[in-house]
Amino acid sequence: MPILYKDAGVDIDRLNILKREIGKKVKKTFSPAVLSEIGLFGSLYQLSGYKEPVLVSSVDGVGTKLLIAQMMERHNTVGEDLVNHSVNDILTLGAKPLFFLDYIAFSEIEDKVLKEIFFGLRRACQKNKVSLVGGETAQMPGIYPKGVYDLVGFIVGVVEKKKMITGKKIKEGDLVLGLPSNGLHTNGYSLARKILLEEKKFRLDESPFPLKNELGDELLRVHKSYLKEVSPFLSLIKGIAHITGGGFYENIKRILPEGVSVFIKKGSWQIPEIFRLIQDAGSIPDEEMYRVFNMGIGMVLFVAKENLRRIKSKGLKVIGEVKKGKREVVIE
């Protein structure tokens, strides 16, 4: 008997049917600038209306948050996590998102799972007005255990060269503003899982004190997009830090010019209960918490004091100040 590709665990026909079905829905995210159809070797996007356009790109994944989604068999939010995370990354440079591509790798394609992932991708792309122009769905038996998948995204945006936000203009006396997060977002899950699920053995369907909701629901809260909140005030902002992997220390330091430091004031915002639970359950020092997690602040903005009243956003807090220093982040 002949041995076919399907016998090795790769079902091309089934995947092609799913791609065609999903592709029809993905086209709803297209803007008039998309010149290609789903399924070509490359995607075409026409850029127009800019004098000195600078393309801004970023690639990232959802990380081990995927394991929580897989444990709960709830896959309709991880696509949103991926798109929103990527949108925030290029927003730190003042860029407007244009188009997005995804990479999904399975051991074995599961129709329901794939459809739920794409539901989240499409929903977030529509909300952020970014075109989902293509991607890759790979069947890789032997690489991933059954029921496990990986999810990665690539985004491209654009900003006028004169309007780029680089942080170079940050100076002594500027204020540090914080925008609230929606939970852990997409970082720190390896530590959270180790403490809450492996050490404390909490169930995802219970609500350990001080949580009001089930633990699984808290851990799957969608990574928030700040595009709509921040876009109206981009001309007033000197620097933006997306608080992801590396927490406050690494992400804020990325954009600081030489000769200044940032001083963050503890207690200037309310820390969500999920972080208190993790810290107490693992006896984690404060410094480690702020190095790993966003602690309730998903994005940090740097503005001149005189512009503070012109920036209005729900939950916005003044959380610190820029002073002379050795280009470091101090949380006190």
Side-chain angles (χ1 to χ4, degrees):
M1 296 292 291
I3 299 176
L4 306 179
Y5 209 3
K6 187 175 180 179
D7 298 319
V10 180
D11 192 337
I12 297 176
D13 294 332
R14 182 180 172 195
L15 181 56
N16 285 337
I17 292 172
L18 279 170
K19 283 182 176 179
R20 286 194 294 270
E21 182 180 342
I22 291 169
K24 294 177 182 179
K25 297 178 180 179
V26 166
K27 286 184 68 175
K28 294 180 180 180
T29 69
F30 283 13
S31 73
V34 179
L35 305 181
S36 55
E37 296 292 328
I38 294 290
L40 299 182
F41 287 103
S43 300
L44 303 174
Y45 192 98
Q46 183 175 12
L47 186 63
S48 60
Y50 291 85
K51 294 180 180 179
E52 292 185 283
V54 175
L55 294 179
V56 183
S57 61
S58 180
V59 61
D60 218 316
V62 180
T64 58
K65 186 175 186 177
L66 290 175
L67 295 176
I68 304 296
Q70 290 156 17
M71 291 172 68
M72 296 184 68
E73 298 184 351
R74 188 189 302 174
H75 311 279
N76 59 349
T77 59
V78 291
E80 286 189 86
D81 288 322
L82 184 62
V83 173
N84 291 346
H85 184 136
S86 302
V87 167
N88 291 341
D89 278 350
I90 64 170
L91 178 62
T92 63
L93 292 158
K96 169 189 174 183
L98 297 175
F99 57 88
F100 187 86
L101 297 99
D102 63 83
Y103 171 81
I104 306 172
F106 288 82
S107 173
E108 178 182 334
I109 295 297
E110 297 183 45
D111 297 24
K112 177 179 179 294
V113 174
L114 191 59
K115 289 178 181 179
E116 286 189 12
I117 293 171
F118 271 98
F119 173 82
L121 288 170
R122 186 188 70 178
R123 181 165 58 184
C125 282
Q126 289 176 320
K127 287 181 179 179
N128 289 287
K129 297 183 179 179
V130 54
S131 299
L132 180 56
V133 297
E136 168 69 4
T137 303
Q139 299 178 77
M140 300 170 64
I143 297 293
Y144 299 98
K146 183 176 174 56
V148 174
Y149 60 87
D150 198 10
L151 179 62
V152 179
F154 175 73
I155 194 167
V156 173
V158 64
V159 60
E160 286 283 8
K161 189 174 182 179
K162 293 181 179 180
K163 295 182 179 180
M164 289 191 302
I165 299 173
T166 63
K168 292 181 180 179
K169 296 181 180 179
I170 295 173
K171 65 179 183 180
E172 180 185 6
D174 287 340
L175 296 179
V176 183
L177 311 182
L179 290 170
S181 70
N182 193 30
L184 272 67
H185 282 181
T186 51
N187 64 284
Y189 278 83
S190 294
L191 180 57
R193 286 187 304 106
K194 179 173 180 58
I195 292 172
L196 301 179
L197 304 183
E198 295 178 20
E199 298 293 330
K200 293 298 181 180
K201 301 189 183 304
F202 291 132
R203 300 190 318 274
L204 291 172
D205 61 354
E206 67 176 306
S207 306
F209 181 84
L211 298 186
K212 298 180 179 64
N213 302 311
E214 291 184 0
L215 178 59
D217 292 335
E218 287 291 340
L219 293 177
L220 279 190
R221 284 184 179 273
V222 174
H223 194 133
K224 184 179 179 181
S225 168
Y226 296 97
L227 181 64
K228 289 184 178 180
E229 289 183 69
V230 175
S231 291
F233 313 109
L234 283 176
S235 62
L236 303 175
I237 297 172
K238 295 184 176 184
I240 304 176
H242 185 198
I243 309 302
T244 56
F248 283 75
Y249 294 103
E250 299 301 323
N251 290 295
I252 293 177
K253 187 177 180 180
R254 286 195 207 187
I255 63 170
L256 288 183
E258 294 294 337
V260 298
S261 291
V262 169
F263 289 78
I264 302 293
K265 184 68 175 177
K266 288 181 182 178
S268 54
W269 73 92
Q270 185 173 356
I271 297 175
E273 288 83 358
I274 184 65
F275 298 105
R276 298 296 188 194
L277 173 63
I278 294 169
Q279 184 170 19
D280 292 345
S283 301
I284 305 174
D286 277 0
E287 182 178 356
E288 181 74 357
M289 289 295 294
Y290 284 89
R291 189 176 301 279
V292 175
F293 301 104
N294 67 58
M295 299 300 286
I297 297 294
M299 184 163 278
V300 169
L301 313 177
F302 290 80
V303 300
K305 285 183 179 180
E306 59 268 24
N307 289 327
L308 177 60
R309 293 183 180 180
R310 299 172 63 186
I311 299 177
K312 297 179 181 179
S313 181
K314 186 177 180 181
L316 184 72
K317 300 286 186 182
V318 177
I319 64 170
E321 187 176 1
V322 179
K323 300 180 182 180
K324 286 185 179 180
K326 300 178 180 179
R327 196 170 171 266
E328 60 183 350
V329 178
V330 180
I331 302 176
E332 54 186 7

